[in-house]
Amino acid sequence: QESYKPHKIEKKWQSRWEKTKLYKARENYQKKYYVLEMFPYPSGRIHMGHVRNYCIGDVIARYKKMLGFNVLHPMGWDAFGLPAENAAISQGIHPAKWTYDNIDYMRRQLKRMGFSYDWDREFATCDPDYYKWEQLLFLDMFERGLVYRKKSPVNWCPGCKTVLANEQVEEGRCWRCGSEVEIKQLKQWFFKITAYAEELLSYCDRLKGWPEKVLIMQRNWIGKSKGAEIRFPLINHPGEITIFTTRPDTIYGVTFMSLAPEHPLVQKLTKGTPQEKIVNQFIERVKKQTHLERMAEDVEKEGVFTGAYCQHPLLDKKIPIYVANFVLIEYGTGAVMAVPAHDQRDFEFAKKYNLPIKVVIQPSDRTLNPETMEAAYTEPGIITNSGHFDGLPSEQAKEAIIQYLEERGVGKRKISYRLRDWGISRQRYWGTPIPVVYCPKCGIVPVPKEELPIILPLEINVKEKGASALADYPAFLETTCPKCGGKARRETDTMDTFVESSWYFARYACPDEKAAPLDKKRVDYWLPVDQYIGGIEHAVLHLLYARFFTKVLRDLGWLKIDEPFINLLTQGMVCKETYRCPEHGYLIPEEECKQGRCIYCGKKVEIGRLEKMSKSKKNIVDPEKMINQYGADTVRLFILFAAPPERDLEWSPQGVEGAHRFLQRIWRLIKEVSPSLNNKSERKNLDEGEKLLYRKTHQTIKKVTEHIERFHFNTAISALMEFFNVITDFVQKNETKRSLVLKDAIEKFVILLSPFVPHITEELWHLMGHKTWLIEQPWPKWEEEALKEELLLVVIQINGKVRARMQVPAEISEQEVKKQALNQERIKQLLTGKEVKKIVWVPKKLINIVA
Ligand code: ANZ
Ligand code: ZN
């Protein structure tokens, strides 16, 4: 018998599937199912995280297809981005070449896994055929006022004279030359995502098919706060400070004001005063803190007095104005009314700088004393020290005080969102050019739509020019104004690569559409995505941007849906233990570690925790190596069996071996029995063994179906393993008999297993004489009737006397039937105080308990 040769089989079926275009998706009148995995960045090679992601998607795609859905399962490339530019700089390869070479390599790798993609729909986002439409959408959005330009900070390296992405700033320094990075204000383009803040928030409640943790992250990111905007007139200066607060109920407890260091008033209030120098020194110091540091709870609350005062809007009271590190310019109005008695940050600040603390809310169970308080009281309570609001519960006072402020014209109700508009300008070469022209006469002029695409020129030497490649390239930069025909300059910034991934899922519905970004008919058929699968690291940005774009595309008339992804599955990480030498850090286990010792110093190697596979931890397993060694089916089976999709998966060489052995067993058995399977025995008059096999077949169909529906692929596979054991058992016990029930069992087994390991099953299926494709087989249905276990009536005796009867399943084990007999109420009663010496089981008939 020929042994299991995965490579031969896999190659054979992959090429046949491809030749017949088996997985091509065609629009028709069937019910559709769109399954999508987050498309990869063409970094060079696929890694285990990709493999896991696509294995999960492939099982779902194949299963849905067999259920009768018209399935769309596409694949493509998120192809613009920084690594291509870095490769250009460090290796001298053009970003385009680097990217397309990587795509070719990775496409070949993916094809070796046997995924059921419709490769005809493949595209790379760096193709002008794709980004042309993105430029058009930009112009559509511009016309609608959803795009605007404003000054915004960027990281600037004075050494390289270039803008750096956040990823290129390492501990405040340039990743290339190590110069200290400066913040520079540049005019940049923004998408008005805040116009959709409320809808993006409220629709979170409708996303019933999303993990709750992702929804929580989205809601927090949008960060809706209800409160009030209140104005505090300046003393000895014109104007006022406007603050945003969620606690208008504490207004009588304000004892100072805190401004963000970047607040424009800070300079106005201190210019030419004795405070100016101290304030500016403080601001310089704060600039070095990152956002996260400034937000962190445990960071020291610091600030300086500006020397200026404002007027409390409801009291005859002069309030000192401070600059404080914990106030952020981007949120609210960049100014805070400080209430140290009821806000912890203000409390710490007041303690540090000896500022007064005034209690305006009392808890019900004790009385707060500003002198002895050790922390702010932030819970609700009863209003005190607040004029005619005294005695009100604080929740009620919020409303009453807002009304009072509105009546007096010093404040108004206000809702604030943490969500900021989306800055999309990148001072980079390898991205979608922003289709705008600057004319000295006409100002900002959008490129006429007929002139699209604005092609990214490929003939530039990126290695020398770096990020400013476009700005230094006259053939691109210099143009004529579409309005007046005079000399003008092109925008040289490109778009954030998150823009491409915000609408690619829609383009898959009609990737060949030549006349428009989307073909409405096809998009209406395929969208929304029924099942989206990807990493939790995209829980906020990518998923929020894609939701935003969907709503924009809807409002522009391209789409009819409100939300892009009905169901979302976030898969866990692929992990492996790490090897570490106390002296030499992480080691590659197979190469740098011999007999538990470091090959460089001989020190004992510590085997560390399971961690996400990563190059830096030297714990990666290369998928291609695994395919070479075991074949794709083994890799697929192991990955799907090792853990349910949402959980982290531990890579285990033994587990891979085990998966491989299972496939070998299947191979051997089915090869052996298949030639003799086609006999004409009947389905009537089944013997005991056949009955059991028949029932197991239907029980397995039910189990596997239900587990797949819940994405519990690991338990679906273990049900199939169990089923296979029963089949093996049957074959061994019935050496010569080849019953129809066995044929049916093996066929069902092969069909049920096929979404997980499509190659070996296809081979066996054809070996059994079938001429059809497995994926075109209808998914098996179980018969309720067949699930029922036959029941036996068993007599229970004690010392030979009949004492009780019970019903048990016919295939009950000896151990189980004895346990159940002892558990009968009447038997328990009769046995109390007696010692059971022996239990005799006469199969199918009786149990005798000797006591
Ligand atoms: C007075 C007050 C009294 C506040 C009190 C809280 C407690 P959320 O819920 O996150 O929206 N705040 C406003 N703008 C800020 C900024 N730019 N940087 C830092 N803090 C800012 O938070 C709203 C509260 O955060 C506001 O309510 C304000 O402090 C502060 F007992 O105003 B509160
Ligand atoms: Zn002009």
Side-chain angles (χ1 to χ4, degrees), residues 240-256:
E240 59 205 3
I241 299 179
T242 305
I243 60 95
F244 169 72
T245 179
T246 47
R247 299 293 306 275
D249 52 326
T250 63
I251 177 123
Y252 289 90
V254 174
T255 58
F256 59 98

Side-chain angles (χ1 to χ4, degrees), residues 92 136 176 221 243 286 306 313 353 358 414 458 477 493 520 539-540 561 612 657 670 698 758 793:
L136 182 101
R176 273 178 78 193
W221 189 265
I243 60 95
V286 175
T306 59
Y353 298 108
K358 179 182 174 192
K414 171 87 185 176
L458 296 181
L477 182 69
D493 285 353
K520 290 181 197 174
V540 182
I561 53 168
K612 179 180 178 175
E657 278 289 339
I670 300 181
H698 284 265
L793 191 66

Side-chain angles (χ1 to χ4, degrees), residues 264-299:
L265 271 181
V266 173
Q267 297 304 328
K268 280 189 198 138
L269 295 177
T270 55
K271 190 128 206 111
T273 71
Q275 293 298 104
E276 184 175 8
K277 209 168 141 203
I278 306 174
V279 168
N280 283 337
Q281 278 168 353
F282 174 73
I283 293 173
E284 281 306 310
R285 207 148 50 77
V286 175
K287 265 191 190 161
K288 299 218 166 77
Q289 286 180 314
T290 67
H291 243 182
L292 251 92
E293 279 165 6
R294 282 173 58 182
M295 297 271 289
E297 256 169 57
D298 52 359
V299 85

Side-chain angles (χ1 to χ4, degrees), residues 165-179:
N166 285 334
E167 305 89 290
Q168 296 173 317
V169 182
E170 293 167 353
E171 287 168 15
R173 294 179 174 277
C174 171
W175 67 298
R176 273 178 78 193
C177 73
S179 316

Side-chain angles (χ1 to χ4, degrees), residues 225 245-247 250 326 328 331 336-337 342-343 345 418:
S225 291
T245 179
T246 47
R247 299 293 306 275
T250 63
F326 61 86
L328 302 176
Y331 188 59
V336 174
M337 67 177 207
H342 305 293
D343 181 276
R345 293 174 300 183
R418 203 158 282 282

Side-chain angles (χ1 to χ4, degrees), residues 346-380:
D346 299 344
F347 182 83
E348 289 168 30
F349 197 89
K351 280 283 172 199
K352 180 164 171 146
Y353 298 108
N354 248 321
L355 296 160
I357 296 173
K358 179 182 174 192
V359 172
V360 291
I361 294 174
Q362 286 290 3
S364 53
D365 56 342
R366 62 204 150 102
T367 304
L368 300 174
N369 176 352
E371 251 91 90
T372 56
M373 280 171 83
E374 283 178 0
Y377 176 76
T378 58
E379 303 294 307

